[in-house]
Amino acid sequence: MPPSLHLREITPDNFENAVALRVRPDQEHLVAPVVKSLAEAYVHPGTAWPRLICDGDEAVGFLMAFFDIDWTGGGTDFRSGLWRLNIADGQQGRGLGRFAVRSVADEIRRRGGTRLTTTWHPGPDGPAGFYRALGFRPTGETSGDQTVGVLELC
């Protein structure tokens, strides 16, 4: 993992770089484009946490976390986790995804949380192997057509 990796808040100065990020063409069906994530962040300002993943000054990915959402709508199951992860075409295999998950986990811990929830598209072309290798376990739930996984934070 490059030592110069860091997260950067989305601002007017880097907005164009953020929305220009594209995943590999064969992965476009697995994740929403950054512009949709930023629109969701705009309408969920107290919940969404969008960030650029940067290597030095270069934007190499995007993540969006969520904090304390009422997962089932019943007021008893509040969760935090990784909402979106886009690694730019040509940038995979460098530890950027692991860095993103670790960064979200650190922020959840900082806010007092002990679990990281995420979802992924099931199937042979989906990222299940990536998430399982990081320690996520499927909960048996689905969110839409996606598998729900959880990572216990120690």
Side-chain angles (χ1 to χ4, degrees):
M1 205 171 332
S4 59
L5 289 179
H6 60 280
L7 297 182
R8 192 173 286 160
E9 188 173 351
I10 310 295
T11 67
D13 292 334
N14 61 25
F15 172 79
E16 293 298 331
N17 288 339
V19 298
L21 278 170
R22 299 287 184 269
V23 297
R24 288 189 341 228
D26 65 309
Q27 296 175 331
E28 289 175 348
H29 69 286
L30 298 172
V31 66
V34 173
V35 70
K36 180 176 188 217
S37 297
L38 292 176
E40 290 169 329
Y42 177 80
V43 298
H44 299 285
T47 301
W49 193 68
R51 296 293 186 266
L52 274 176
I53 303 166
C54 296
D55 185 359
D57 290 332
E58 180 184 7
V60 293
F62 170 84
L63 69 80
M64 188 161 71
F66 61 89
F67 300 106
D68 299 320
I69 65 162
D70 187 354
W71 189 262
T72 59
T76 60
D77 185 10
F78 290 88
R79 300 186 193 184
S80 298
L82 182 62
W83 188 347
R84 202 70 40 73
L85 178 58
N86 304 53
I87 302 300
D89 187 9
Q91 297 293 332
Q92 290 183 357
R94 300 181 49 224
L96 304 176
R98 286 189 303 279
F99 170 80
V101 170
R102 188 178 75 235
S103 297
V104 172
D106 290 347
E107 185 64 20
I108 290 171
R109 281 189 202 97
R110 190 185 72 71
R111 294 171 183 236
T114 59
R115 293 172 51 148
L116 191 163
T117 300
T118 196
T119 62
W120 61 81
H121 283 278
D125 62 341
F130 165 76
Y131 287 114
R132 286 179 183 254
L134 292 176
F136 283 87
R137 63 173 175 71
T139 64
E141 302 166 281
T142 57
S143 178
D145 63 347
Q146 296 189 33
T147 299
V148 177
V150 67
L151 177 66
E152 299 294 336
L153 305 176
C154 302

PDB file of all heavy atoms in Angstrom, residues 12 19 21 29 32 34 36-37 44 52 57 61 70 73 76-77 81-82 85 89 98 103 122 135 137 139 145:
ATOM      1  N   PRO A  12     -15.333  22.153  -3.926  1.00  0.00           N
ATOM      2  CA  PRO A  12     -15.448  22.707  -5.281  1.00  0.00           C
ATOM      3  C   PRO A  12     -14.136  22.559  -6.073  1.00  0.00           C
ATOM      4  O   PRO A  12     -14.169  22.397  -7.293  1.00  0.00           O
ATOM      5  CB  PRO A  12     -15.785  24.175  -5.042  1.00  0.00           C
ATOM      6  CG  PRO A  12     -16.507  24.165  -3.735  1.00  0.00           C
ATOM      7  CD  PRO A  12     -15.794  23.110  -2.915  1.00  0.00           C
ATOM      8  N   VAL A  19     -15.939  13.414  -9.945  1.00  0.00           N
ATOM      9  CA  VAL A  19     -16.952  12.882 -10.868  1.00  0.00           C
ATOM     10  C   VAL A  19     -16.336  12.284 -12.133  1.00  0.00           C
ATOM     11  O   VAL A  19     -17.006  11.538 -12.842  1.00  0.00           O
ATOM     12  CB  VAL A  19     -18.040  13.924 -11.218  1.00  0.00           C
ATOM     13  CG1 VAL A  19     -18.795  14.344  -9.963  1.00  0.00           C
ATOM     14  CG2 VAL A  19     -17.477  15.112 -11.944  1.00  0.00           C
ATOM     15  N   LEU A  21     -13.856  10.146 -12.024  1.00  0.00           N
ATOM     16  CA  LEU A  21     -13.381   8.802 -11.699  1.00  0.00           C
ATOM     17  C   LEU A  21     -14.272   7.742 -12.330  1.00  0.00           C
ATOM     18  O   LEU A  21     -15.495   7.816 -12.236  1.00  0.00           O
ATOM     19  CB  LEU A  21     -13.372   8.583 -10.191  1.00  0.00           C
ATOM     20  CG  LEU A  21     -12.180   9.128  -9.435  1.00  0.00           C
ATOM     21  CD1 LEU A  21     -12.425   9.052  -7.943  1.00  0.00           C
ATOM     22  CD2 LEU A  21     -10.926   8.372  -9.809  1.00  0.00           C
ATOM     23  N   HIS A  29     -21.408  -2.101 -13.822  1.00  0.00           N
ATOM     24  CA  HIS A  29     -22.720  -2.576 -13.366  1.00  0.00           C
ATOM     25  C   HIS A  29     -22.733  -2.913 -11.875  1.00  0.00           C
ATOM     26  O   HIS A  29     -23.789  -3.148 -11.297  1.00  0.00           O
ATOM     27  CB  HIS A  29     -23.166  -3.793 -14.187  1.00  0.00           C
ATOM     28  CG  HIS A  29     -22.344  -5.024 -13.928  1.00  0.00           C
ATOM     29  ND1 HIS A  29     -21.062  -5.177 -14.400  1.00  0.00           N
ATOM     30  CD2 HIS A  29     -22.636  -6.142 -13.230  1.00  0.00           C
ATOM     31  CE1 HIS A  29     -20.594  -6.344 -14.000  1.00  0.00           C
ATOM     32  NE2 HIS A  29     -21.523  -6.951 -13.293  1.00  0.00           N
ATOM     33  N   ALA A  32     -22.446   2.313  -8.413  1.00  0.00           N
ATOM     34  CA  ALA A  32     -22.972   3.549  -8.999  1.00  0.00           C
ATOM     35  C   ALA A  32     -21.826   4.517  -9.280  1.00  0.00           C
ATOM     36  O   ALA A  32     -20.801   4.498  -8.601  1.00  0.00           O
ATOM     37  CB  ALA A  32     -23.967   4.203  -8.042  1.00  0.00           C
ATOM     38  N   VAL A  34     -19.719   8.022  -9.282  1.00  0.00           N
ATOM     39  CA  VAL A  34     -19.463   8.971  -8.207  1.00  0.00           C
ATOM     40  C   VAL A  34     -20.501  10.086  -8.192  1.00  0.00           C
ATOM     41  O   VAL A  34     -20.950  10.511  -7.117  1.00  0.00           O
ATOM     42  CB  VAL A  34     -18.027   9.542  -8.308  1.00  0.00           C
ATOM     43  CG1 VAL A  34     -17.807  10.658  -7.301  1.00  0.00           C
ATOM     44  CG2 VAL A  34     -17.002   8.423  -8.117  1.00  0.00           C
ATOM     45  N   LYS A  36     -23.627  10.021  -8.805  1.00  0.00           N
ATOM     46  CA  LYS A  36     -24.833   9.576  -8.094  1.00  0.00           C
ATOM     47  C   LYS A  36     -24.573   9.549  -6.598  1.00  0.00           C
ATOM     48  O   LYS A  36     -25.435   9.955  -5.803  1.00  0.00           O
ATOM     49  CB  LYS A  36     -25.278   8.198  -8.573  1.00  0.00           C
ATOM     50  CG  LYS A  36     -26.525   7.743  -7.829  1.00  0.00           C
ATOM     51  CD  LYS A  36     -27.083   6.443  -8.311  1.00  0.00           C
ATOM     52  CE  LYS A  36     -28.406   6.250  -7.604  1.00  0.00           C
ATOM     53  NZ  LYS A  36     -28.739   4.974  -7.217  1.00  0.00           N
ATOM     54  N   SER A  37     -23.405   9.083  -6.193  1.00  0.00           N
ATOM     55  CA  SER A  37     -23.066   9.061  -4.772  1.00  0.00           C
ATOM     56  C   SER A  37     -23.076  10.469  -4.190  1.00  0.00           C
ATOM     57  O   SER A  37     -23.575  10.683  -3.079  1.00  0.00           O
ATOM     58  CB  SER A  37     -21.688   8.429  -4.564  1.00  0.00           C
ATOM     59  OG  SER A  37     -21.690   7.086  -4.973  1.00  0.00           O
ATOM     60  N   HIS A  44     -28.569  13.380   1.921  1.00  0.00           N
ATOM     61  CA  HIS A  44     -28.393  12.719   3.220  1.00  0.00           C
ATOM     62  C   HIS A  44     -27.170  13.313   3.935  1.00  0.00           C
ATOM     63  O   HIS A  44     -26.250  12.582   4.311  1.00  0.00           O
ATOM     64  CB  HIS A  44     -28.198  11.213   3.039  1.00  0.00           C
ATOM     65  CG  HIS A  44     -29.347  10.520   2.393  1.00  0.00           C
ATOM     66  ND1 HIS A  44     -30.534  10.252   3.037  1.00  0.00           N
ATOM     67  CD2 HIS A  44     -29.499  10.061   1.127  1.00  0.00           C
ATOM     68  CE1 HIS A  44     -31.351   9.640   2.220  1.00  0.00           C
ATOM     69  NE2 HIS A  44     -30.760   9.520   1.046  1.00  0.00           N
ATOM     70  N   LEU A  52     -12.623  11.425  -1.396  1.00  0.00           N
ATOM     71  CA  LEU A  52     -11.709  10.967  -2.445  1.00  0.00           C
ATOM     72  C   LEU A  52     -10.596  10.165  -1.797  1.00  0.00           C
ATOM     73  O   LEU A  52     -10.124  10.518  -0.709  1.00  0.00           O
ATOM     74  CB  LEU A  52     -11.081  12.152  -3.173  1.00  0.00           C
ATOM     75  CG  LEU A  52     -11.844  12.764  -4.323  1.00  0.00           C
ATOM     76  CD1 LEU A  52     -11.103  13.987  -4.851  1.00  0.00           C
ATOM     77  CD2 LEU A  52     -12.077  11.759  -5.436  1.00  0.00           C
ATOM     78  N   ASP A  57      -1.239  13.769  -4.788  1.00  0.00           N
ATOM     79  CA  ASP A  57      -2.244  14.698  -5.301  1.00  0.00           C
ATOM     80  C   ASP A  57      -3.212  14.053  -6.283  1.00  0.00           C
ATOM     81  O   ASP A  57      -4.159  14.692  -6.727  1.00  0.00           O
ATOM     82  CB  ASP A  57      -1.555  15.881  -6.002  1.00  0.00           C
ATOM     83  CG  ASP A  57      -0.852  16.793  -5.019  1.00  0.00           C
ATOM     84  OD1 ASP A  57      -1.299  16.863  -3.854  1.00  0.00           O
ATOM     85  OD2 ASP A  57       0.138  17.427  -5.409  1.00  0.00           O
ATOM     86  N   GLY A  61      -9.463   6.943  -6.276  1.00  0.00           N
ATOM     87  CA  GLY A  61     -10.669   6.227  -5.892  1.00  0.00           C
ATOM     88  C   GLY A  61     -11.604   7.131  -5.120  1.00  0.00           C
ATOM     89  O   GLY A  61     -11.321   8.310  -4.872  1.00  0.00           O
ATOM     90  N   ASP A  70     -30.841   4.167  10.427  1.00  0.00           N
ATOM     91  CA  ASP A  70     -31.854   3.255  10.952  1.00  0.00           C
ATOM     92  C   ASP A  70     -32.074   2.182   9.884  1.00  0.00           C
ATOM     93  O   ASP A  70     -32.861   2.362   8.959  1.00  0.00           O
ATOM     94  CB  ASP A  70     -33.127   4.047  11.246  1.00  0.00           C
ATOM     95  CG  ASP A  70     -34.189   3.216  11.944  1.00  0.00           C
ATOM     96  OD1 ASP A  70     -33.999   1.992  12.109  1.00  0.00           O
ATOM     97  OD2 ASP A  70     -35.216   3.806  12.306  1.00  0.00           O
ATOM     98  N   GLY A  73     -35.635   0.663   9.829  1.00  0.00           N
ATOM     99  CA  GLY A  73     -36.716   1.639   9.969  1.00  0.00           C
ATOM    100  C   GLY A  73     -37.515   1.485  11.242  1.00  0.00           C
ATOM    101  O   GLY A  73     -38.493   2.199  11.442  1.00  0.00           O
ATOM    102  N   THR A  76     -34.477   0.582  16.106  1.00  0.00           N
ATOM    103  CA  THR A  76     -33.689  -0.236  17.036  1.00  0.00           C
ATOM    104  C   THR A  76     -32.397  -0.793  16.432  1.00  0.00           C
ATOM    105  O   THR A  76     -31.583  -1.354  17.146  1.00  0.00           O
ATOM    106  CB  THR A  76     -34.519  -1.436  17.543  1.00  0.00           C
ATOM    107  OG1 THR A  76     -34.916  -2.233  16.419  1.00  0.00           O
ATOM    108  CG2 THR A  76     -35.747  -0.965  18.311  1.00  0.00           C
ATOM    109  N   ASP A  77     -32.222  -0.665  15.128  1.00  0.00           N
ATOM    110  CA  ASP A  77     -31.060  -1.268  14.453  1.00  0.00           C
ATOM    111  C   ASP A  77     -30.318  -0.182  13.681  1.00  0.00           C
ATOM    112  O   ASP A  77     -30.545   0.013  12.488  1.00  0.00           O
ATOM    113  CB  ASP A  77     -31.540  -2.386  13.515  1.00  0.00           C
ATOM    114  CG  ASP A  77     -30.386  -3.153  12.873  1.00  0.00           C
ATOM    115  OD1 ASP A  77     -29.217  -2.958  13.285  1.00  0.00           O
ATOM    116  OD2 ASP A  77     -30.660  -3.947  11.952  1.00  0.00           O
ATOM    117  N   GLY A  81     -21.263   2.117   8.116  1.00  0.00           N
ATOM    118  CA  GLY A  81     -20.480   1.275   7.236  1.00  0.00           C
ATOM    119  C   GLY A  81     -20.068   1.933   5.940  1.00  0.00           C
ATOM    120  O   GLY A  81     -20.077   3.158   5.802  1.00  0.00           O
ATOM    121  N   LEU A  82     -19.718   1.084   5.005  1.00  0.00           N
ATOM    122  CA  LEU A  82     -19.250   1.495   3.687  1.00  0.00           C
ATOM    123  C   LEU A  82     -20.421   1.435   2.719  1.00  0.00           C
ATOM    124  O   LEU A  82     -20.978   0.370   2.463  1.00  0.00           O
ATOM    125  CB  LEU A  82     -18.129   0.562   3.221  1.00  0.00           C
ATOM    126  CG  LEU A  82     -17.494   0.865   1.879  1.00  0.00           C
ATOM    127  CD1 LEU A  82     -16.817   2.236   1.876  1.00  0.00           C
ATOM    128  CD2 LEU A  82     -16.484  -0.230   1.524  1.00  0.00           C
ATOM    129  N   LEU A  85     -17.811   2.164  -2.872  1.00  0.00           N
ATOM    130  CA  LEU A  85     -16.360   2.093  -3.072  1.00  0.00           C
ATOM    131  C   LEU A  85     -16.087   1.985  -4.561  1.00  0.00           C
ATOM    132  O   LEU A  85     -16.492   1.018  -5.204  1.00  0.00           O
ATOM    133  CB  LEU A  85     -15.755   0.892  -2.337  1.00  0.00           C
ATOM    134  CG  LEU A  85     -14.258   0.681  -2.506  1.00  0.00           C
ATOM    135  CD1 LEU A  85     -13.471   1.905  -2.048  1.00  0.00           C
ATOM    136  CD2 LEU A  85     -13.811  -0.566  -1.746  1.00  0.00           C
ATOM    137  N   ASP A  89     -10.224   2.909 -12.713  1.00  0.00           N
ATOM    138  CA  ASP A  89      -9.701   1.993 -13.726  1.00  0.00           C
ATOM    139  C   ASP A  89      -8.178   2.125 -13.767  1.00  0.00           C
ATOM    140  O   ASP A  89      -7.641   3.228 -13.799  1.00  0.00           O
ATOM    141  CB  ASP A  89     -10.313   2.354 -15.082  1.00  0.00           C
ATOM    142  CG  ASP A  89      -9.972   1.373 -16.180  1.00  0.00           C
ATOM    143  OD1 ASP A  89      -9.402   0.299 -15.886  1.00  0.00           O
ATOM    144  OD2 ASP A  89     -10.294   1.672 -17.347  1.00  0.00           O
ATOM    145  N   ARG A  98      -8.386  -1.962   0.422  1.00  0.00           N
ATOM    146  CA  ARG A  98      -8.091  -2.256   1.833  1.00  0.00           C
ATOM    147  C   ARG A  98      -7.901  -0.958   2.614  1.00  0.00           C
ATOM    148  O   ARG A  98      -8.383  -0.827   3.734  1.00  0.00           O
ATOM    149  CB  ARG A  98      -6.837  -3.127   1.946  1.00  0.00           C
ATOM    150  CG  ARG A  98      -7.083  -4.565   1.547  1.00  0.00           C
ATOM    151  CD  ARG A  98      -5.897  -5.464   1.857  1.00  0.00           C
ATOM    152  NE  ARG A  98      -4.639  -5.036   1.242  1.00  0.00           N
ATOM    153  CZ  ARG A  98      -4.280  -5.274  -0.007  1.00  0.00           C
ATOM    154  NH1 ARG A  98      -5.088  -5.946  -0.802  1.00  0.00           N
ATOM    155  NH2 ARG A  98      -3.125  -4.858  -0.466  1.00  0.00           N
ATOM    156  N   SER A 103      -9.931   2.848   6.510  1.00  0.00           N
ATOM    157  CA  SER A 103     -10.233   4.241   6.827  1.00  0.00           C
ATOM    158  C   SER A 103     -11.650   4.396   7.368  1.00  0.00           C
ATOM    159  O   SER A 103     -11.883   5.137   8.331  1.00  0.00           O
ATOM    160  CB  SER A 103     -10.045   5.127   5.592  1.00  0.00           C
ATOM    161  OG  SER A 103      -8.697   5.112   5.175  1.00  0.00           O
ATOM    162  N   PRO A 122     -23.792 -10.064  -5.409  1.00  0.00           N
ATOM    163  CA  PRO A 122     -23.338 -11.451  -5.381  1.00  0.00           C
ATOM    164  C   PRO A 122     -22.965 -11.922  -6.789  1.00  0.00           C
ATOM    165  O   PRO A 122     -23.275 -11.254  -7.766  1.00  0.00           O
ATOM    166  CB  PRO A 122     -24.567 -12.202  -4.859  1.00  0.00           C
ATOM    167  CG  PRO A 122     -25.723 -11.356  -5.282  1.00  0.00           C
ATOM    168  CD  PRO A 122     -25.232  -9.922  -5.263  1.00  0.00           C
ATOM    169  N   GLY A 135     -12.384 -10.049   6.116  1.00  0.00           N
ATOM    170  CA  GLY A 135     -13.023 -10.491   7.352  1.00  0.00           C
ATOM    171  C   GLY A 135     -14.516 -10.244   7.436  1.00  0.00           C
ATOM    172  O   GLY A 135     -15.137 -10.547   8.461  1.00  0.00           O
ATOM    173  N   ARG A 137     -18.369 -10.987   7.042  1.00  0.00           N
ATOM    174  CA  ARG A 137     -19.166 -12.196   6.956  1.00  0.00           C
ATOM    175  C   ARG A 137     -20.582 -11.819   6.529  1.00  0.00           C
ATOM    176  O   ARG A 137     -21.129 -10.828   7.018  1.00  0.00           O
ATOM    177  CB  ARG A 137     -19.170 -12.960   8.266  1.00  0.00           C
ATOM    178  CG  ARG A 137     -19.787 -12.232   9.407  1.00  0.00           C
ATOM    179  CD  ARG A 137     -19.935 -13.085  10.667  1.00  0.00           C
ATOM    180  NE  ARG A 137     -20.430 -12.284  11.761  1.00  0.00           N
ATOM    181  CZ  ARG A 137     -21.658 -11.806  11.880  1.00  0.00           C
ATOM    182  NH1 ARG A 137     -22.553 -12.044  10.951  1.00  0.00           N
ATOM    183  NH2 ARG A 137     -22.018 -11.078  12.922  1.00  0.00           N
ATOM    184  N   THR A 139     -24.448 -11.618   6.529  1.00  0.00           N
ATOM    185  CA  THR A 139     -25.394 -11.677   7.649  1.00  0.00           C
ATOM    186  C   THR A 139     -26.599 -12.550   7.338  1.00  0.00           C
ATOM    187  O   THR A 139     -27.377 -12.847   8.237  1.00  0.00           O
ATOM    188  CB  THR A 139     -25.909 -10.262   7.984  1.00  0.00           C
ATOM    189  OG1 THR A 139     -26.647  -9.764   6.864  1.00  0.00           O
ATOM    190  CG2 THR A 139     -24.773  -9.327   8.343  1.00  0.00           C
ATOM    191  N   ASP A 145     -30.906  -6.201  -4.223  1.00  0.00           N
ATOM    192  CA  ASP A 145     -30.348  -7.447  -4.758  1.00  0.00           C
ATOM    193  C   ASP A 145     -28.928  -7.696  -4.256  1.00  0.00           C
ATOM    194  O   ASP A 145     -28.223  -8.532  -4.799  1.00  0.00           O
ATOM    195  CB  ASP A 145     -30.382  -7.423  -6.284  1.00  0.00           C
ATOM    196  CG  ASP A 145     -29.527  -6.312  -6.886  1.00  0.00           C
ATOM    197  OD1 ASP A 145     -29.101  -5.400  -6.141  1.00  0.00           O
ATOM    198  OD2 ASP A 145     -29.264  -6.365  -8.097  1.00  0.00           O
TER     199      ASP A 145
END
